[in-house]
Amino acid sequence: EAVTQSYEAAKAFHGRPATNGRGRFAVADGEAFGPDVVGRCEAVLFNALDALDAHAPDVYDRLFAPGDDWKARQPTTGPPRADAAPDVYLRDAFPSLRDLYMAGELEWSEGEPAINLYEAPGLFGAHKDHMALTVLVPLTDPDAFMGG
């Protein structure tokens, strides 16, 4: 229900997606979305992070867990990063993706998290965003569209 309400709020504020059939809206856009929508989107994000922690715990260990080998585990498809590795103590203090998020230790692409609205013939073409992990949460019943 939170997902549907967030989708409807985005569509109501912005109307139809752009002429290319796709509109992209940052959840943190205070002019577009009120705290209720931001809260619902955060609830969806928490569910996704919790599902990853429960069903794919190696995602945390392989990509995000602090340690001496952290830099070697980062994506290599993007520009070189000068970021220092997170402090090793964070592994014990924040042992899950949700914990890292709540501590402000997860890095987002600019404008993320976001809601993408599509209408035919809208599409999101193949691309590389140079981030370690991308999570897509469909806001529409899968039977209502083709592709994925």
XYZ file of all heavy atoms in Angstrom, residues 16-102:
667
model
N 1.578 13.731 -15.998
C 2.133 12.693 -16.861
C 3.654 12.734 -16.846
O 4.240 13.788 -16.705
C 1.652 12.890 -18.288
C 0.190 12.628 -18.486
C -0.200 12.888 -19.932
N 0.646 12.156 -20.865
C 0.425 10.919 -21.272
N -0.614 10.263 -20.822
N 1.223 10.337 -22.130
N 4.288 11.583 -17.009
C 5.741 11.593 -17.165
C 6.141 12.424 -18.379
O 5.313 12.782 -19.204
C 6.087 10.111 -17.367
C 4.979 9.386 -16.685
C 3.750 10.236 -16.947
N 7.402 12.736 -18.459
C 7.914 13.547 -19.574
C 7.543 12.930 -20.914
O 7.144 11.765 -20.991
C 9.436 13.646 -19.442
N 7.702 13.690 -21.982
C 7.262 13.245 -23.304
C 7.943 11.963 -23.754
O 7.416 11.261 -24.600
C 7.503 14.340 -24.355
O 8.889 14.704 -24.320
C 6.646 15.547 -24.075
N 9.102 11.637 -23.205
C 9.754 10.381 -23.578
C 9.145 9.195 -22.840
O 9.622 8.088 -22.950
C 11.262 10.457 -23.334
C 11.618 10.593 -21.866
O 10.751 10.650 -20.995
N 12.908 10.647 -21.590
N 8.082 9.446 -22.067
C 7.402 8.366 -21.364
C 7.992 8.020 -20.022
O 7.576 7.072 -19.381
N 8.968 8.817 -19.579
C 9.605 8.526 -18.295
C 9.808 9.817 -17.529
O 10.276 10.801 -18.066
C 10.955 7.850 -18.502
C 11.682 7.548 -17.199
C 12.966 6.763 -17.436
N 13.962 7.515 -18.155
C 14.953 8.192 -17.576
N 15.060 8.230 -16.278
N 15.837 8.819 -18.307
N 9.435 9.798 -16.275
C 9.719 10.907 -15.375
C 10.492 10.379 -14.189
O 10.239 9.275 -13.715
N 11.461 11.134 -13.717
C 12.306 10.695 -12.595
C 12.251 11.780 -11.529
O 12.539 12.937 -11.804
C 13.734 10.493 -13.073
C 14.659 10.001 -11.996
C 16.021 9.685 -12.638
N 16.961 9.242 -11.676
C 17.010 8.030 -11.147
N 16.142 7.126 -11.515
N 17.920 7.704 -10.261
N 11.930 11.379 -10.300
C 11.723 12.347 -9.236
C 12.431 11.893 -7.969
O 12.159 10.808 -7.463
C 10.222 12.519 -8.977
C 9.457 12.700 -10.257
C 8.700 11.665 -10.778
C 9.537 13.880 -10.963
C 8.016 11.819 -11.966
C 8.855 14.046 -12.153
C 8.096 13.012 -12.659
N 13.344 12.720 -7.466
C 14.064 12.401 -6.231
C 13.095 12.407 -5.058
O 12.320 13.343 -4.894
C 15.189 13.405 -6.000
N 13.131 11.374 -4.258
C 12.245 11.259 -3.112
C 12.461 12.419 -2.141
O 11.530 12.896 -1.506
C 12.456 9.902 -2.405
C 11.741 9.846 -1.075
C 12.001 8.771 -3.313
N 13.688 12.901 -2.025
C 14.002 13.969 -1.076
C 13.591 15.353 -1.568
O 13.838 16.340 -0.880
C 15.496 13.958 -0.770
N 12.951 15.448 -2.740
C 12.527 16.741 -3.283
C 11.381 17.288 -2.441
O 10.230 16.903 -2.606
C 12.102 16.568 -4.746
C 11.681 17.865 -5.406
O 11.541 18.892 -4.698
O 11.494 17.859 -6.633
N 11.704 18.186 -1.523
C 10.721 18.735 -0.607
C 9.613 19.518 -1.282
O 8.535 19.690 -0.722
N 9.858 20.012 -2.507
C 8.811 20.717 -3.239
C 7.831 19.747 -3.885
O 6.692 20.091 -4.145
C 9.435 21.616 -4.303
C 10.228 22.765 -3.725
C 10.803 23.650 -4.810
O 10.254 23.666 -5.937
O 11.803 24.318 -4.532
N 8.290 18.544 -4.137
C 7.450 17.565 -4.813
C 6.704 16.663 -3.848
O 5.556 16.317 -4.083
C 8.303 16.714 -5.752
N 7.354 16.287 -2.783
C 6.791 15.285 -1.895
C 6.784 15.768 -0.455
O 7.772 16.312 0.034
C 7.599 13.986 -1.973
C 7.710 13.442 -3.366
C 8.922 13.407 -4.014
C 6.593 12.966 -4.025
C 9.030 12.903 -5.296
C 6.684 12.460 -5.310
C 7.903 12.432 -5.945
N 5.697 15.507 0.217
C 5.597 15.834 1.637
C 6.223 14.748 2.484
O 6.631 13.693 1.981
N 6.285 14.981 3.780
C 6.908 14.004 4.678
C 6.223 12.649 4.655
O 6.869 11.624 4.889
C 6.793 14.639 6.063
C 6.230 15.996 5.877
C 5.832 16.171 4.459
N 4.915 12.612 4.355
C 4.217 11.327 4.313
C 4.745 10.453 3.185
O 4.977 9.260 3.367
C 2.704 11.530 4.191
C 2.317 12.350 2.975
O 3.076 13.264 2.586
O 1.247 12.075 2.397
N 4.981 11.041 2.018
C 5.506 10.276 0.882
C 6.943 9.856 1.158
O 7.320 8.706 0.926
C 5.411 11.085 -0.430
C 6.113 10.365 -1.567
C 3.964 11.350 -0.777
N 7.744 10.776 1.671
C 9.129 10.446 1.988
C 9.172 9.305 3.012
O 9.945 8.360 2.871
C 9.897 11.685 2.502
C 11.287 11.311 2.981
C 9.975 12.742 1.411
N 8.298 9.360 4.007
C 8.242 8.291 5.016
C 7.848 6.956 4.415
O 8.412 5.917 4.764
N 6.866 6.966 3.495
C 6.461 5.710 2.847
C 7.595 5.152 1.993
O 7.843 3.944 1.980
C 5.203 5.924 2.012
C 3.952 6.089 2.855
C 2.693 5.993 2.019
N 2.601 6.984 0.979
C 1.991 8.178 1.087
N 1.427 8.507 2.240
N 1.928 9.004 0.077
N 8.289 6.034 1.280
C 9.412 5.570 0.461
C 10.525 5.008 1.334
O 11.145 4.006 0.982
C 9.929 6.704 -0.412
S 8.811 7.150 -1.747
N 10.762 5.640 2.471
C 11.786 5.111 3.372
C 11.363 3.746 3.914
O 12.194 2.854 4.077
C 12.069 6.084 4.506
C 13.275 5.646 5.319
C 13.886 6.777 6.109
O 13.386 7.050 7.205
O 14.868 7.351 5.610
N 10.078 3.554 4.182
C 9.594 2.245 4.641
C 9.849 1.176 3.576
O 10.257 0.054 3.896
C 8.110 2.314 4.988
N 9.626 1.515 2.303
C 9.910 0.584 1.207
C 11.407 0.280 1.161
O 11.821 -0.873 1.007
C 9.409 1.153 -0.142
C 9.901 0.314 -1.310
C 7.887 1.250 -0.147
N 12.235 1.316 1.323
C 13.685 1.119 1.328
C 14.097 0.211 2.481
O 14.901 -0.707 2.301
C 14.396 2.472 1.434
C 15.912 2.408 1.564
C 16.543 1.742 0.345
C 16.473 3.797 1.772
N 13.539 0.425 3.680
C 13.859 -0.440 4.814
C 13.494 -1.890 4.509
O 14.248 -2.813 4.824
C 13.128 0.004 6.083
C 13.702 1.231 6.732
C 12.894 2.029 7.524
C 15.022 1.589 6.570
C 13.409 3.161 8.148
C 15.543 2.725 7.177
C 14.729 3.505 7.971
N 12.332 -2.100 3.899
C 11.929 -3.466 3.536
C 12.935 -4.090 2.577
O 13.276 -5.274 2.708
C 10.532 -3.472 2.927
C 9.447 -3.237 3.947
O 9.648 -3.417 5.144
N 8.283 -2.821 3.485
N 13.403 -3.312 1.599
C 14.379 -3.833 0.635
C 15.702 -4.161 1.328
O 16.287 -5.230 1.086
C 14.599 -2.832 -0.495
N 16.182 -3.260 2.175
C 17.437 -3.517 2.894
C 17.316 -4.722 3.811
O 18.223 -5.565 3.873
C 17.859 -2.281 3.691
C 18.239 -1.043 2.883
C 18.523 0.134 3.807
C 19.405 -1.316 1.956
N 16.188 -4.823 4.516
C 15.972 -5.971 5.404
C 15.912 -7.278 4.612
O 16.440 -8.303 5.054
C 14.693 -5.792 6.219
C 14.800 -4.658 7.247
O 15.928 -4.213 7.545
O 13.731 -4.225 7.735
N 15.271 -7.246 3.433
C 15.201 -8.448 2.594
C 16.588 -8.847 2.120
O 16.929 -10.041 2.104
C 14.266 -8.208 1.407
N 17.405 -7.881 1.738
C 18.780 -8.198 1.329
C 19.564 -8.804 2.491
O 20.273 -9.798 2.314
C 19.491 -6.948 0.813
C 19.131 -6.528 -0.597
C 19.657 -5.134 -0.896
C 19.689 -7.524 -1.604
N 19.437 -8.197 3.669
C 20.138 -8.735 4.835
C 19.691 -10.167 5.141
O 20.504 -11.017 5.491
C 19.907 -7.855 6.067
C 20.733 -6.580 6.041
O 21.833 -6.584 5.450
O 20.273 -5.575 6.620
N 18.394 -10.440 4.997
C 17.857 -11.759 5.341
C 18.142 -12.811 4.274
O 18.469 -13.951 4.594
C 16.346 -11.665 5.575
N 18.019 -12.440 3.002
C 18.075 -13.435 1.921
C 19.383 -13.431 1.135
O 19.636 -14.375 0.376
C 16.901 -13.242 0.970
C 15.572 -13.344 1.663
N 15.096 -14.520 2.194
C 14.639 -12.405 1.936
C 13.922 -14.311 2.762
N 13.624 -13.034 2.626
N 20.159 -12.369 1.280
C 21.437 -12.291 0.572
C 22.471 -11.600 1.467
O 22.990 -10.536 1.129
C 21.262 -11.550 -0.752
N 22.769 -12.194 2.625
C 23.670 -11.528 3.574
C 25.069 -11.289 3.024
O 25.784 -10.405 3.505
C 23.699 -12.479 4.776
C 23.249 -13.796 4.247
C 22.310 -13.491 3.108
N 25.450 -12.022 1.994
C 26.776 -11.816 1.420
C 26.898 -10.452 0.733
O 27.999 -9.962 0.520
C 27.129 -12.941 0.455
C 26.151 -13.073 -0.695
O 24.932 -12.966 -0.454
O 26.603 -13.288 -1.830
N 25.763 -9.802 0.397
C 25.823 -8.464 -0.197
C 26.520 -7.514 0.771
O 27.403 -6.745 0.376
C 24.409 -7.947 -0.567
C 24.430 -6.471 -0.904
C 23.847 -8.748 -1.727
N 26.140 -7.552 2.030
C 26.785 -6.702 3.036
C 28.274 -7.021 3.123
O 29.120 -6.125 3.044
C 26.112 -6.873 4.398
C 26.776 -6.084 5.500
C 26.395 -4.780 5.764
C 27.796 -6.645 6.267
C 27.008 -4.043 6.769
C 28.415 -5.923 7.268
C 28.025 -4.623 7.517
O 28.651 -3.907 8.503
N 28.574 -8.309 3.284
C 29.972 -8.712 3.478
C 30.841 -8.401 2.268
O 31.971 -7.943 2.422
C 30.064 -10.208 3.795
C 29.472 -10.542 5.156
O 29.521 -9.681 6.050
O 28.945 -11.661 5.309
N 30.330 -8.633 1.077
C 31.149 -8.474 -0.130
C 31.301 -7.031 -0.582
O 32.306 -6.677 -1.188
C 30.580 -9.313 -1.259
C 30.657 -10.803 -0.939
C 30.175 -11.620 -2.051
N 31.217 -11.598 -3.079
C 31.181 -12.312 -4.171
N 30.172 -13.104 -4.391
N 32.139 -12.243 -5.049
N 30.295 -6.194 -0.316
C 30.332 -4.835 -0.855
C 30.503 -3.730 0.179
O 31.088 -2.692 -0.126
C 29.055 -4.561 -1.662
C 28.824 -5.454 -2.869
C 27.470 -5.150 -3.489
C 29.940 -5.288 -3.879
N 29.954 -3.916 1.373
C 29.867 -2.791 2.286
C 30.596 -2.948 3.611
O 30.883 -1.955 4.268
C 28.389 -2.478 2.585
C 27.616 -2.135 1.348
C 26.768 -3.061 0.761
C 27.747 -0.899 0.761
C 26.068 -2.750 -0.383
C 27.053 -0.574 -0.393
C 26.207 -1.494 -0.959
N 30.856 -4.159 4.042
C 31.452 -4.362 5.361
C 32.822 -3.703 5.443
O 33.680 -3.927 4.589
C 31.579 -5.854 5.661
N 33.027 -2.864 6.457
C 34.355 -2.273 6.635
C 35.397 -3.351 6.876
O 35.102 -4.411 7.400
C 34.170 -1.393 7.876
C 32.700 -1.143 7.963
C 32.058 -2.387 7.433
N 36.592 -3.078 6.476
C 37.701 -4.005 6.667
C 38.887 -3.548 5.843
O 38.781 -2.631 5.015
N 40.023 -4.193 6.051
C 41.240 -3.808 5.343
C 41.107 -3.954 3.829
O 41.779 -3.252 3.076
C 42.430 -4.642 5.838
C 42.768 -4.336 7.284
O 42.452 -3.212 7.750
O 43.337 -5.223 7.954
N 40.246 -4.858 3.370
C 40.095 -5.094 1.934
C 38.912 -4.322 1.330
O 38.517 -4.561 0.201
C 39.923 -6.587 1.672
C 38.653 -7.148 2.304
O 38.108 -6.527 3.242
O 38.204 -8.216 1.856
N 38.346 -3.367 2.062
C 37.159 -2.635 1.592
C 37.373 -2.012 0.225
O 36.551 -2.155 -0.666
C 36.783 -1.550 2.613
C 35.615 -0.729 2.199
C 34.301 -1.045 2.375
C 35.632 0.534 1.539
N 33.497 -0.042 1.864
C 34.300 0.939 1.342
C 36.656 1.369 1.095
C 33.954 2.131 0.724
C 36.317 2.559 0.478
C 34.986 2.926 0.304
N 38.465 -1.312 0.032
C 38.727 -0.615 -1.238
C 38.753 -1.603 -2.404
O 38.219 -1.320 -3.473
C 40.041 0.146 -1.146
C 40.327 1.014 -2.328
C 40.032 2.444 -2.005
C 40.502 3.336 -3.129
N 39.746 4.542 -3.213
N 39.320 -2.780 -2.193
C 39.411 -3.789 -3.255
C 38.037 -4.343 -3.622
O 37.856 -4.879 -4.714
C 40.333 -4.920 -2.830
N 37.053 -4.217 -2.732
C 35.713 -4.747 -2.990
C 34.781 -3.729 -3.637
O 33.624 -4.026 -3.898
C 35.086 -5.241 -1.682
C 35.779 -6.463 -1.111
C 35.074 -6.993 0.131
N 35.543 -6.283 1.322
C 34.769 -5.584 2.142
N 33.486 -5.480 1.939
N 35.283 -4.976 3.191
N 35.262 -2.538 -3.926
C 34.416 -1.499 -4.505
C 34.331 -1.660 -6.023
O 35.204 -2.256 -6.646
C 34.949 -0.112 -4.133
C 34.973 0.121 -2.631
C 33.648 -0.204 -1.975
O 32.638 0.429 -2.242
N 33.640 -1.216 -1.120
N 33.254 -1.116 -6.644
C 33.098 -1.252 -8.100
C 34.306 -0.688 -8.836
O 34.883 0.315 -8.421
C 31.850 -0.414 -8.409
C 31.152 -0.227 -7.114
C 32.193 -0.337 -6.035
N 34.668 -1.359 -9.915
C 35.829 -0.912 -10.694
C 35.428 -0.322 -12.039
O 36.282 0.041 -12.823
C 36.789 -2.093 -10.937
O 36.071 -3.127 -11.629
C 37.334 -2.635 -9.628
N 34.133 -0.212 -12.299
C 33.694 0.282 -13.605
C 33.620 1.796 -13.675
O 33.518 2.350 -14.741
C 32.306 -0.285 -13.952
O 31.386 0.086 -12.920
C 32.351 -1.790 -14.102
N 33.654 2.469 -12.556
C 33.524 3.922 -12.531
C 34.863 4.597 -12.403
O 35.920 3.972 -12.437
N 34.804 5.910 -12.242
C 36.048 6.654 -12.041
C 36.699 6.245 -10.728
O 36.017 5.826 -9.795
C 35.585 8.115 -12.000
C 34.118 8.069 -11.774
C 33.626 6.737 -12.222
N 38.015 6.339 -10.659
C 38.703 5.963 -9.425
C 38.194 6.800 -8.252
O 37.920 7.975 -8.391
C 40.176 6.267 -9.707
C 40.283 6.518 -11.156
C 38.918 6.824 -11.673
N 38.079 6.148 -7.113
C 37.602 6.836 -5.911
C 38.760 7.074 -4.969
O 39.569 6.193 -4.745
C 36.532 5.996 -5.222
C 35.297 5.836 -6.063
C 34.303 4.954 -5.404
N 34.046 5.431 -4.048
C 33.006 5.074 -3.345
N 32.121 4.265 -3.845
N 32.825 5.518 -2.122
N 38.775 8.267 -4.393
C 39.818 8.596 -3.440
C 39.334 8.403 -2.008
O 40.048 8.705 -1.073
C 40.263 10.045 -3.649
N 38.098 7.905 -1.866
C 37.524 7.752 -0.531
C 38.363 6.827 0.329
O 38.843 5.793 -0.120
C 36.116 7.155 -0.611
C 35.149 8.025 -1.391
O 35.381 9.237 -1.501
O 34.167 7.466 -1.878
N 38.506 7.228 1.569
C 39.164 6.354 2.535
C 38.181 5.268 2.953
O 36.970 5.474 2.948
C 39.608 7.162 3.743
N 38.705 4.117 3.288
C 37.856 3.023 3.758
C 37.178 3.428 5.054
O 37.733 4.169 5.852
C 38.701 1.775 3.966
N 35.946 2.939 5.273
C 35.277 3.233 6.541
C 36.027 2.601 7.704
O 36.706 1.587 7.546
C 33.891 2.612 6.379
C 33.890 1.866 5.106
C 35.150 2.127 4.381
N 35.899 3.199 8.866
C 36.550 2.658 10.057
C 36.064 1.237 10.318
O 34.880 0.934 10.225
C 36.242 3.531 11.279
C 36.939 4.877 11.194
O 38.035 4.940 10.619
O 36.373 5.855 11.722
N 36.998 0.361 10.668
C 36.699 -1.045 10.893
C 35.676 -1.223 12.023
O 34.855 -2.138 11.985
C 37.998 -1.835 11.169
C 37.695 -3.275 11.513
C 38.915 -1.766 9.964
N 35.660 -0.327 13.006
C 34.720 -0.461 14.116
C 33.273 -0.433 13.634
O 32.371 -0.937 14.307
C 34.944 0.618 15.176
C 34.243 1.918 14.890
C 32.938 2.127 15.337
C 34.858 2.926 14.158
C 32.274 3.316 15.064
C 34.200 4.099 13.882
C 32.907 4.306 14.336
O 32.258 5.465 14.052
N 33.016 0.146 12.455
C 31.654 0.221 11.940
C 31.059 -1.165 11.703
O 29.848 -1.339 11.787
C 31.611 1.033 10.643
C 31.887 2.523 10.769
C 31.969 3.159 9.389
C 30.841 3.204 11.619
N 31.898 -2.143 11.407
C 31.384 -3.497 11.156
C 30.661 -4.047 12.382
O 29.604 -4.657 12.265
C 32.507 -4.433 10.727
C 32.007 -5.808 10.388
C 33.132 -6.732 9.944
N 32.545 -7.899 9.350
C 32.652 -8.239 8.078
N 33.340 -7.502 7.260
N 32.083 -9.323 7.628
N 31.212 -3.821 13.553
C 30.567 -4.294 14.775
C 29.421 -3.382 15.190
O 28.390 -3.848 15.670
C 31.590 -4.398 15.915
C 32.614 -5.484 15.662
O 32.271 -6.496 15.015
O 33.772 -5.312 16.101
N 29.592 -2.091 14.995
C 28.570 -1.130 15.417
C 27.346 -1.162 14.501
O 26.227 -0.937 14.958
C 29.159 0.272 15.451
N 27.565 -1.436 13.216
C 26.481 -1.408 12.226
C 26.573 -2.657 11.350
O 27.062 -2.600 10.225
C 26.573 -0.140 11.371
C 26.669 1.109 12.197
C 27.844 1.835 12.247
C 25.592 1.538 12.957
C 27.940 2.978 13.024
C 25.673 2.681 13.731
C 26.846 3.404 13.767
N 26.080 -3.805 11.850
C 26.288 -5.091 11.178
C 25.317 -5.411 10.043
O 25.364 -6.501 9.493
C 26.130 -6.094 12.320
C 25.159 -5.430 13.246
C 25.473 -3.962 13.165
N 24.433 -4.480 9.664
C 23.484 -4.772 8.576
C 23.383 -3.572 7.651
O 23.825 -2.464 7.982
C 22.095 -5.083 9.155
O 21.524 -3.901 9.702
N 22.798 -3.787 6.479
C 22.598 -2.687 5.543
C 21.697 -1.610 6.140
O 21.959 -0.417 5.992
C 22.002 -3.206 4.230
C 22.934 -4.081 3.401
C 22.179 -4.707 2.236
C 24.123 -3.278 2.900
N 20.643 -2.027 6.837
C 19.761 -1.047 7.489
C 20.541 -0.224 8.503
O 20.405 1.004 8.567
C 18.590 -1.724 8.182
C 17.670 -0.706 8.859
C 16.699 -1.362 9.809
N 15.507 -1.848 9.180
C 14.305 -1.306 9.352
N 14.146 -0.256 10.109
N 13.260 -1.816 8.765
N 21.394 -0.882 9.298
C 22.192 -0.174 10.296
C 23.131 0.839 9.628
O 23.272 1.967 10.106
C 23.010 -1.153 11.135
C 22.153 -2.040 12.020
O 21.056 -1.614 12.413
O 22.600 -3.172 12.308
N 23.784 0.426 8.539
C 24.668 1.352 7.824
C 23.887 2.545 7.279
O 24.352 3.682 7.339
C 25.383 0.633 6.676
C 26.557 -0.254 7.038
C 27.092 -0.943 5.786
C 27.661 0.547 7.708
N 22.695 2.273 6.736
C 21.858 3.354 6.211
C 21.489 4.330 7.329
O 21.605 5.543 7.170
C 20.592 2.783 5.565
C 19.598 3.845 5.184
C 19.826 4.655 4.086
C 18.447 4.042 5.937
C 18.926 5.653 3.738
C 17.540 5.029 5.601
C 17.780 5.831 4.503
O 16.897 6.817 4.164
N 21.037 3.805 8.455
C 20.621 4.654 9.567
C 21.788 5.480 10.113
O 21.589 6.572 10.628
C 19.999 3.810 10.683
C 18.694 3.133 10.289
S 17.411 4.298 9.812
C 17.092 5.102 11.369
